[in-house]
Amino acid sequence: MSMLVLMIAAAFYAGAAAAYVAFFARPRYVWLASAGQAILSVAFVVHAVAIGLGCREFGGAEFFSLRGGLVLLAWLVAGAFLVLQRFTSVPTVGAFVTPLILVVLLPALFATPGGAQIVPETVRRPSLTLHIVTAMLGVAFFGIAFMVALMYLLQEREVKGKHFGALFSRLPSLDSLDRLNQRLVRAGFLVFSVALVTGALVAKGVWKSAWSWDPQQVSSLLIWLLYGGMVQLHHTGWHGRRYAVLTLVGFVLVIGSMVLIGSIPGVTRHGGTYQ
Amino acid sequence: MSGGSEVHLVGLSHKSAPIAVRERVALSGDALKEALLQLKGMDGVEEAMVISTCNRVEVYVVGHGLEPARRFFLDRAREAQEHLYERQGFEAVRHLFRVSASLDSMVLGEQQILGQVKEAYGLASAAQVAGATISRLCNRAFATAKRVRNETEIGRGASSVSAVAVELVEKIFGDLQGRGVLLVGAGKMGALSAKALSDLGADRILVTNRSPEKAAALAEQVGGAAEPWEKLPDLLTAADVVLVSTGAPQYVITRDLAAMAMKARRQRSICFIDVAVPRNVDPACADLSNVYAYDIDDLQKVVHETRQSRAEEAIRAEGIIESEVTAFTRERETRAALPVLAAMRRHAEEVARAEAERTLAALGGKLDDKGRRSVEAMAKAIVNKLLHGPTARLKEAAASGDDTLPGAAAELFGIENEPPAGREQGSGADVVALPERK
């Protein structure tokens, strides 16, 4: 059942992406952006229902797996973007973020859920839930920042290379993209910090030590340091291109550690059966 | 129908006349209003409108013949004679549509002209020299211009060097709130662009020049502050957009100077716009991160591309104009039959009412209310039934451009010399025959 609802949510996401991309191609039709936002909101709600149903069907342990993580991540990217839209109107960003949601969600649609697993008594604690949600929300912010940085680099290439074509006129100004990127990195860093602390708390409870040089812990710390460095760098005069490139690198690391470390057996105890 | 009253146009524009002639016939304000009233007072003029901009002066007249409009020009400048163009009927309609849609402008697709035509119409309306025909004509022209703007990309892109500079700056900085513009050198191009940039909301404009007097003069002109030439390296940290237009034969902004400035700016973006020939900004500056540098060729290339793409869009726009002109003239041909129809109907209804009253009077009080109403209804029904066929056929004939049937009907009913139909049917000036289209 939850799979079906998730499919419906994915269809709405595809609709939202189509509307946003169409708006990007034909900025004259402003209603396309509003339509995109409306469809995205519907997708977000349907997706929430799918997650709720999924928890009933497969148990919370589903979120220990990559599949569960992706489902949650896609939902949080959508949510974060909708909230972002409330504060700054950036409909062109929608043309980049909504396809990202689809890319994140697609593997989850075709992977089979792990089956009804009971979360072991030992890890049942609020800090774990908080850890999972904040980690994914942080990644969601970094993901949106990644797309914004990509837009920045595209626009920078147009502006510097003196191609004043279709992309040039449709993409927002470099300055606004730069500032948006920095804000997203700051927000992501804050939330990710919470994930790191709660992760350590869970580890202390389950593994009996907050820090055990687990590859997942190490990579998360590296990521945290990288983004933390970027938040600081901003004050010392890092702008524009270099900042955008760092944002890209950061998100590649995030996705790499999320996908790779977990999928090679025996590398990490994180997110596994906790035995 | 008031016998062959038509839309006439006599005018001259940047395409037909040099500025020396245009400026002699151009009018504005009270002089224009006076000229309108004078036009309206001439024989054979029912309505008038004058579009007067620095690129064109055009007189639109609804009435009989071109002569009054032609006299407008010749009274003001004899030499205008050889520069005038004249249009009548649907050709004049098409011309106004093209002008409003900026297809006849010096810079194709520029947006000012529509406002100027609207202003001309507003003036003519206010002076009560524009009537129903000009009003309909203008409203259709405005709608057509809007269609052209929405359905083609004729208004897209920057079509002048300073517009390109503004667009570039916008794409780098967004707006210029809280930012500074620095003018290096006293070139005219730089001053022009500085004006455009200060419209973007730049906080401060700094001006520097080798000669302090020139700097001070230019600063006053653009509303900025003059700074000594020696301070140039420091000024590069205070400004975000630097317009360079000096007469210097070498680079004024070298790569080293730009690199130093970037350090002092903590890598905040800077944009150099070099409108000088020979160039004053080392193109190698653009290799630095967050430094954007453009020379006059870059800007002119964009202008050229914009104009080219607008020229392509203009072909599509002409199609829209044609369809609108056709629709407009057809509509009006149909309307031309309306006064005859209205007169016919009014005449018939009057007869019917009079006859019904006479019948009722003859019957005295023998009828109750219901009986009275029946008699009146019968009279009306007879009128409607009798007129139904002729009405349909007249409308048909008018729509297909056939002028003879309405004329015949008018004669047949003896209503040709009646005063113009009531206001709700449009005044006499409303009736304008157009020459048959090929």
Side-chain angles (χ1 to χ4, degrees), chain B residues 309-324:
Chain B
S309 73
R310 284 184 178 192
E312 281 161 26
E313 287 301 304
I315 297 169
R316 283 177 51 208
E318 298 284 5
I320 295 174
I321 300 278
E322 276 323 299
S323 71
E324 289 286 335

Side-chain angles (χ1 to χ4, degrees), chain B residues 1 10 16 34 39 63 65 70 98 120 122 128 134 180 211 223 250 256 296 323 339 364 372 389 413 415 434:
Chain B
M1 127 171 341
V10 176
S16 74
E34 206 174 295
L39 261 172
R70 203 180 285 138
R98 291 189 73 243
Q128 296 186 323
I134 282 189
S211 128
Q250 79 284 357
D256 285 347
I296 187 77
S323 71
R372 275 169 185 282
F413 281 79
I415 48 179
L434 292 160

Side-chain angles (χ1 to χ4, degrees), chain B residues 140-216:
Chain B
R140 195 62 179 246
F142 303 152
T144 306
K146 200 173 157 199
R147 248 193 92 188
V148 166
R149 191 152 291 278
N150 287 340
E151 292 175 27
T152 73
E153 307 214 310
I154 198 151
R156 272 243 352 250
S159 56
S160 72
V161 166
S162 53
V164 175
V166 166
E167 202 181 325
L168 271 169
V169 165
E170 265 184 324
K171 281 300 177 189
I172 296 170
F173 298 109
D175 57 27
L176 281 181
Q177 225 99 67
R179 295 182 197 273
V181 175
L182 171 64
L183 213 57
V184 181
K188 193 181 160 214
M189 202 67 132
L192 259 175
S193 304
K195 274 239 165 71
L197 286 172
S198 70
D199 289 344
L200 267 184
D203 255 23
R204 53 194 179 277
I205 299 178
L206 306 170
V207 181
T208 187
N209 195 36
R210 279 222 166 76
S211 128
E213 295 81 35
K214 273 191 183 168

Side-chain angles (χ1 to χ4, degrees), chain B residues 1-4 339-340 343 406-421:
Chain B
M1 127 171 341
S2 35
V340 175
E411 199 147 332
L412 205 59
F413 281 79
I415 48 179
E416 181 157 31
N417 295 326
E418 278 201 359

